Amino acid sequence: MSEISSENISSDVPEELKSRRIQIFFTVWVTYMIYYIGRSNISVAKPFMMEEYGISTTIFGSIGSAFFYAYAFGQFFNGFLGDKLGARRMVSLGLVVSSIFNILIGGFGQNVWLFGIFWGLNGFFQAMGWAPSVKTIANWFPPKERGKWSSRLGTSYMIGGSLAWVIAILISNTFGLSWRFVFIIPAILMAIIGVFNYINVRNAPEEAGFSTIEEESEGNVKKGESKTDEYLGFKYTLKAIFTNKTILFAAFGLFCLNMVRYGITEWLPTLIAFESTDQLTIWKIVAFPVGGAIGALTCAKISDKYLKQRRMPIISVLFGLLALSLFIYSKIPQVNLIIGVPLLTIIGFLTFGPHALLVSTIPMEFGTRKAASSATGFIDGWGYVGAAISTQIVGIILESEGGLQTAYLFWIIAALAACVILMFNWKSVPKKKEFL
């Protein structure tokens, strides 16, 4: 994030607009980062809840799937709604309501049925965050800068996932508080940031009195009256998605990738916690999202600089390397620190590098700002169908004879499938006329 400054933004626009763009970006970035402390917290709370109430991995897999299916539906629904209503209200509302469900889980989570219902509803409101956030960045930044800023936006959920684990580990392991506070304390911060987002964000430059992106591309960048971003209708957004094969390929890629990503994030902390009570070993899990943040920043830059904005080659190659890395990681003990931490960092890099391109860069470029939220919701929705399937299947696998090794095989097959299929979209680049 250290590279972000007004110099990174095109020099042919007024300083006031440059500053406003940076403010908008950081507000969106921080807000979506905070979303994650109300969803990734469950990974650390899970072993304590399982031990206290005797919940099996199969049941927890079903509860996790309830979240992801609700999230997937929410992405499809809220993605289209985000193009119609704008991000400011949706993102703020989703964060505040999600905080309420986290508090309810902290208070009533000992009842498995209530916990499952609350966690599923939390998934739906969590889905109000990402797609509208992508649309906000697409509205504020011109096409030539979207690869750079979308990759930076992608670090928000990686740092957010890491922060969620850090907060939860501090609460439960370091300070020895009840797992209930793993939900309650983050919820308070979420509510505060939800209000902060509503106060500071505007959906598009024209809402702040600046020229639209279209007007800026024509050389008109003076502050003044501009018409509000026009919603072109449900039919337009559907056509923008289903007639663009790159968006369809991206949806399949994320479907496979989230099988791996959420298989790891949902179960790795639990597996490590059960294998070792050593504090240093438990902290090892933070390496995964940290490596992911590096991957997100690096991969967009590589595809911009060396591949002329072709995203699929680097995504496909990284999927293949991810499968190889998972195979190697499956052969070392889960508590190994010397090899495990660097390798888990690499796996994070190989997971989140393509992830950021699939859920932020590609929807902005191929959905355009007019349908960026819908395209993001569609791609991310299919990703979370994959996450739901993986979470439930892995929960069942871990209780089977094959155990963890079978789970790794499942993730490796998913990564290889995406690697092969996305090669068929290898040469895809957005058309210039579709860029805005």
Side-chain angles (χ1 to χ4, degrees), residues 230-311:
E230 181 185 1
Y231 175 61
L232 299 181
F234 183 65
K235 184 178 180 180
Y236 171 85
T237 53
L238 275 180
K239 182 179 179 181
I241 291 169
F242 287 103
T243 60
N244 194 307
K245 65 178 183 179
T246 301
I247 292 176
L248 301 179
F249 272 102
F252 177 80
L254 195 65
F255 174 84
C256 295
L257 183 60
N258 270 11
M259 286 187 171
V260 179
R261 175 192 171 192
Y262 279 100
I264 293 173
T265 58
E266 289 294 297
W267 289 110
L268 187 62
T270 303
L271 295 170
I272 291 176
F274 281 157
E275 285 204 24
S276 174
T277 57
D278 181 72
Q279 294 291 313
L280 184 60
T281 302
I282 293 170
W283 278 98
K284 163 188 167 183
I285 61 175
V286 178
F288 181 67
V290 169
I294 299 170
L297 292 172
T298 304
C299 294
K301 186 177 293 186
I302 291 172
S303 58
D304 276 338
K305 187 172 183 179
Y306 299 107
L307 299 174
K308 298 180 180 179
Q309 294 183 306
R310 286 187 296 141
R311 311 300 182 187

Side-chain angles (χ1 to χ4, degrees), residues 56-67 69 116 267 391-392 395-396:
S56 69
T57 58
T58 299
I59 292 174
F60 241 116
S62 297
I63 292 171
S65 289
F67 176 95
Y69 281 124
W267 289 110
T391 302
Q392 190 160 26
I396 296 170

Side-chain angles (χ1 to χ4, degrees), residues 291-418:
I294 299 170
L297 292 172
T298 304
C299 294
K301 186 177 293 186
I302 291 172
S303 58
D304 276 338
K305 187 172 183 179
Y306 299 107
L307 299 174
K308 298 180 180 179
Q309 294 183 306
R310 286 187 296 141
R311 311 300 182 187
M312 288 305 180
I314 191 168
I315 292 173
S316 183
V317 169
L318 291 180
F319 273 137
L321 293 174
L322 175 60
L324 176 62
S325 299
L326 287 168
F327 174 76
I328 297 171
Y329 190 77
S330 70
K331 301 303 177 183
I332 67 171
Q334 293 303 300
V335 296
N336 187 295
L337 288 172
I338 296 175
I339 302 174
V341 171
L343 190 52
L344 199 57
T345 304
I346 291 171
I347 291 173
F349 181 99
L350 297 172
T351 300
F352 287 106
H355 189 276
L357 292 173
L358 288 168
V359 299
S360 56
T361 308
I362 286 177
M364 286 188 197
E365 292 179 340
F366 290 87
T368 75
R369 84 177 186 113
K370 296 295 185 183
S373 181
S374 300
T376 304
F378 178 80
I379 294 170
D380 215 17
W382 280 109
Y384 280 93
V385 172
I389 293 171
S390 177
T391 302
Q392 190 160 26
I393 288 178
V394 172
I396 296 170
I397 287 174
L398 292 176
E399 289 189 342
S400 69
E401 186 176 341
L404 185 58
Q405 291 301 311
T406 304
Y408 277 115
L409 178 61
F410 175 72
W411 297 331
I412 289 167
I413 291 171
L416 287 175

